[in-house]
Amino acid sequence: MRKIIPFVCAIVMALSSCSGDLEPGQVKVTGGVIQGTVTENMAVYKGIPFAASPVGELRWKAPQPVIPWEGVKDATEFGPSPIQPMQMPGLTTSEDSLYLNVWTPAKAKTDKLPVMVWIYGGGFSMGSSSEFDGAPLAEKGVVLVTINYRVGQMGFFVHPELSAENPEGVSGNYGILDQIAALEWIQNNISEFGGDPSKVTIFGESAGGISVSMLCASPLAKGLFRGAISESGGSFGPSRVNNYPGENMKLLEDAEKVGSDLADKLGANSIAELRSMPPESLSQGMVITGGPWPVIDGYVIPDDQFRMYESGNFNDINVLIGYNSDEGASFGSSTDSKVYTKDIEERFGPYADALMKAYPVGSPKVVKTGRDLVRDAAFGWHTWAWARLQAEKGRSKVYLYYFDQHPEYPEDSPMYGHGSPHGQEVDYVFKRLKSESVPTDYQLSETIATYWTNFVKFGDPNGQNNDGLPVWPEFTKDDHVTMVLTGDKPYSSAVPSEDAMWVLDSYFAWRRTTEGDSWARNR
């Protein structure tokens, strides 16, 4: 063992190395010792296994404990990404994908820094933790963790035979169980990286934000985090057999029928045969609606989340949640007002006319107010309902945002009248702006990163000294206020289109009635 001088021990993150039994950059975690990459200001550990490889007989089972390894495991490269139907350039995929990554600025284990845990999006069909660099956020005084979870058919396949073999009588939701297993690993290990397991905040976007919402409702995740940030997430819509954005959830028995049909199409007579097939043969093309998705199984996700929150049955923690101004531009709806109107009538039935009055479609091309219906049906209403229900039923703080950073396009541009599309804010959060960005983009990115990390540290985006930022007021049951994230100076405002969202709220309320459920099942 080479001698370690005190100065080096301090600079190279004396997380464990000063104890004399580990080399600099080495940390002992569940399963064994790992070796990361250490610089003067940051230590990075990649490809850390948090569960056993879900292969062979472990395919479509809840994540199992890590299998210990001999010697020192290299943790300088990302682990494989989960199997997914669309191969991303440069992405190595494997069924063996349950790995996480840690960026820590801590100088010692005793630093007890707050922890941020990123859950990626991708429609529950795609995504990888390796796409995100945690250093820019970690540099603001937090330990940053990114996690993998199973997606597509590997993560959310439901089948009656799988339910029968499960002690809880359920199947599917393996990807959500992976997230919970990663959070349990963090509780047991993050102190070795200078993090505080009592100060964990989860955050994610799109399917990651929806996952955050589900974890906030799941009893299996209780106590694993103290705060949550959801970007364009929320899962407060009712179940539906034929899914639409915002009505993506199926009941277990309905999802089992879909799984049985898929097994028949693949010519498989048993789960054993399906487990013997190459994972690539089971992957379906990415489908935002109707594809593999979490299900209401009565166990991981006990019930319709709206009803759970109405009854006060949720993990009552501080939340920072929001959505983008033009989410509706990202989901393939027709720009022709006649076709769009027909689509609205098909989806919303007896509520179509009232909703098109609340959200004017325009003619002959669909204008932004029409797209706002798609935005709110998929994201805005869910986030607003989440904020409203928690403010009414909970005791913790709620902070709502509306991201609206975009160029003012000229009238002759095909982008005229467009706002911020789905996913745009992610680059601002992770401070990875493109070359064409303007000064206000960089200012907003720094502002958002500070708001986010303040929330992680203090449960309040304003922090303790306000950092010179515009004050972000709480959303309360008596004051429905949002923070508009735009330009060089965000500002608080009334919730955009809130009057229209109350009309959409009445549709979702009707859909939860026997009449509304029967109507949807017969479409």
Side-chain angles (χ1 to χ4, degrees), residues 95-298:
E95 212 173 345
D96 173 21
S97 62
L98 299 186
Y99 299 92
L100 55 76
N101 318 289
V102 179
W103 287 259
T104 176
K107 299 300 182 185
K109 290 197 297 184
T110 54
D111 283 2
K112 293 187 175 298
L113 298 179
V115 182
M116 298 181 76
V117 183
W118 174 251
I119 304 173
Y120 52 74
F124 293 108
S125 292
M126 300 182 67
S128 171
S129 64
S130 65
E131 298 178 74
F132 301 91
D133 179 8
L137 287 173
E139 288 169 355
K140 297 182 78 66
V142 301
V143 177
L144 195 289
V145 183
T146 64
I147 66 174
N148 276 353
Y149 62 94
R150 285 171 281 182
V151 297
Q153 298 296 356
M154 296 297 101
F156 299 98
F157 181 61
V158 182
H159 192 279
E161 191 178 336
L162 286 173
S163 299
E165 74 176 26
N166 185 287
E168 304 297 333
V170 301
S171 57
N173 290 336
Y174 306 109
I176 304 298
L177 289 170
D178 293 342
Q179 297 167 12
I180 293 171
L183 290 169
E184 291 172 339
W185 185 97
I186 289 166
Q187 287 296 309
N188 294 329
N189 293 278
I190 205 63
S191 60
E192 298 298 316
F193 301 87
D196 188 340
S198 70
K199 296 180 180 178
V200 174
T201 294
I202 56 176
F203 72 128
E205 183 268 341
S206 194
I210 292 170
S211 295
V212 167
S213 166
M214 292 171 175
L215 292 169
C216 285
S218 177
L220 303 186
K222 185 177 179 61
L224 296 179
F225 48 92
R226 71 167 188 176
I229 300 172
S230 175
E231 303 167 27
S232 303
S235 180
F236 285 80
S239 63
R240 187 163 182 161
V241 176
N242 298 311
N243 304 119
Y244 288 93
E247 295 175 78
N248 307 79
M249 299 294 287
K250 285 183 171 65
L251 299 176
L252 179 66
E253 55 267 34
D254 293 325
E256 285 179 336
K257 294 174 184 175
V258 175
S260 294
D261 289 344
L262 177 58
D264 290 343
K265 289 179 182 178
L266 293 170
N269 296 312
S270 67
I271 290 299
E273 289 185 21
L274 286 169
R275 283 189 170 124
S276 69
M277 292 181 175
E280 294 80 6
S281 67
L282 299 166
S283 295
Q284 306 289 298
M286 183 180 179
V287 182
I288 297 297
T289 59
W293 201 269
V295 297
I296 300 172
D297 62 356

